[in-house]
């Protein structure tokens, strides 16, 4: 794949990722990171996504901050923030292909847990919540993929889609703040990242608007089914088998 074709691929991916994020409150990174990371590498894709998602979802985040349930968000966010620096070290030092295989396996394992264990109750202990948050923070720092653990947790609580979505936006805002601080401290935000952010930002924004409009027309059941589909897509997209076809 030529550089120009890789850029078109990344722009199209940003549109899909933005629509997914706008609809469900998560999933943008699950699509963006494997597919954009395949053509530009995770060290460029991760800070690029952090920049465009942080800036463009700010209005949604502010609304979510008022609608979320903070007693549910706070323990997971604390665990995640503490684990983000470890995830950034993983991003810098672990082989990208091995990291993506691990992400694919984890995403599928969480999906199976969610589908097969629908009758299970969400853990209530503080230690369990901190642990779930820590796993999310590790994945967030490594690849901006903190979604699956907390999505599985909140869907298992049986709450309505609007509450789950608001909790996710608030949670991701706090994790993004921690990740951004770590990325800046490690020098991962450079001119190349800023250039790609300017290119991909507009289509990501269009996707966010379209996704948010779609959410307003979706039922709780539709929200849950689409969440399953997003995690499945993430697992498939994370598998590096197609990388030779995508590399510029």
């Amino acid at each position: 794949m030529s550089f120009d074709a890789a850029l078109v691929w990344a722009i199209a991916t940003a549109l899909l990722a933005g629509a997914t994020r706008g609809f469900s409150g998560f999933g943008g990174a699950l699509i963006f990171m494997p597919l954009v990371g395949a053509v530009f590498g995770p060290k460029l894709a991760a800070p690029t996504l952090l920049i465009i998602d942080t800036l463009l979802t700010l209005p949604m985040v502010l609304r979510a901050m008022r609608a979320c349930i903070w007693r549910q968000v706070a323990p997971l966010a604390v665990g995640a923030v503490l684990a983000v620096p470890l995830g950034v070290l993983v991003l810098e030092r672990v082989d990208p292909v091995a990291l993506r295989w691990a992400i694919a396996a984890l995403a599928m394992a969480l999906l199976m847990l969610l589908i097969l264990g629908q009758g299970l109750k969400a853990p209530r202990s503080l230690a369990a919540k901190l642990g779930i948050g820590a796993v999310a923070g590790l994945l967030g720092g490594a690849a901006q993929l903190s979604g699956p653990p907390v999505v599985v947790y909140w869907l298992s609580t049986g709450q309505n889609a609007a509450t789950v979505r608001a909790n996710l936006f608030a949670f991701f805002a706090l994790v993004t703040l921690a990740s951004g601080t770590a990325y800046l401290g490690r020098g991962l935000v450079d001119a190349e990242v800023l250039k790609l952010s300017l290119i991909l930002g507009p289509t990501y924004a269009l996707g966010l608007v379209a996704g948010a409009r779609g959410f307003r027309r979706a039922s709780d059941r539709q929200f849950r089914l689409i969440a399953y589909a997003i995690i499945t897509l993430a697992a498939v997209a994370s598998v590096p088998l197609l990388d030779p076809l995508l590399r510029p």
Side-chain angles (χ1 to χ4, degrees):
M1 182 183 287
S2 67
F3 178 81
D4 289 342
L7 199 55
V8 171
W9 171 269
I11 290 171
T13 299
L15 179 63
L16 178 59
T20 303
R21 173 82 155 115
F23 177 86
S24 65
F26 81 104
L30 294 170
I31 295 170
F32 188 97
M33 279 301 301
L35 299 183
V36 176
V39 294
F40 288 111
K43 287 186 180 179
L44 178 56
T48 296
L49 178 62
L50 184 142
I51 289 172
I52 62 177
D53 186 78
T54 299
L55 295 177
L56 296 175
T57 63
L58 187 58
M60 297 177 179
V61 169
L62 294 177
R63 288 193 294 271
M65 292 289 189
R66 296 190 293 270
C68 72
I69 302 176
W70 278 108
R71 68 178 181 275
Q72 297 178 4
V73 174
L76 274 72
V78 169
V81 168
L82 292 175
V84 160
L86 179 58
V88 175
L89 289 178
V90 170
L91 173 63
E92 291 183 315
R93 300 182 183 182
V94 173
D95 176 71
V97 174
L99 178 61
R100 289 174 59 208
W101 276 111
I103 289 168
L106 178 61
M108 285 307 299
L110 290 171
L111 179 64
M112 290 301 100
L113 176 64
L114 187 59
I115 294 174
L116 299 177
Q118 289 189 42
L120 296 177
K121 297 291 186 180
R124 295 185 177 183
S125 71
L126 178 60
K129 294 175 183 178
L130 290 171
I132 293 168
V135 173
L138 176 65
L139 292 174
Q144 289 298 290
L145 292 173
S146 55
V150 292
V151 170
V152 169
Y153 170 75
W154 271 313
L155 287 180
S156 69
T157 64
Q159 296 179 109
N160 62 59
T163 300
V164 171
R165 185 173 180 267
N167 282 354
L168 288 170
F169 266 108
F171 172 83
F172 289 137
L174 298 175
V175 176
T176 295
L177 181 62
S179 297
T181 301
Y183 284 178
L184 287 169
R186 305 294 294 188
L188 295 177
V189 178
D190 55 20
E192 194 173 3
V193 167
L194 296 177
K195 180 180 177 181
L196 190 60
S197 299
L198 289 173
I199 294 171
L200 301 186
T203 51
Y204 192 81
L206 288 174
L208 284 170
V209 172
R213 289 178 178 174
F215 172 77
R216 289 195 288 269
R217 295 191 291 268
S219 66
D220 285 356
R221 182 175 183 275
Q222 289 171 329
F223 178 88
R224 180 178 291 270
L225 291 175
I226 291 174
Y228 293 169
I230 292 169
I231 296 175
T232 302
L233 177 62
V236 173
S238 296
V239 176
L241 295 177
L242 296 180
D243 283 7
L245 300 177
L246 299 178
R247 290 289 183 187

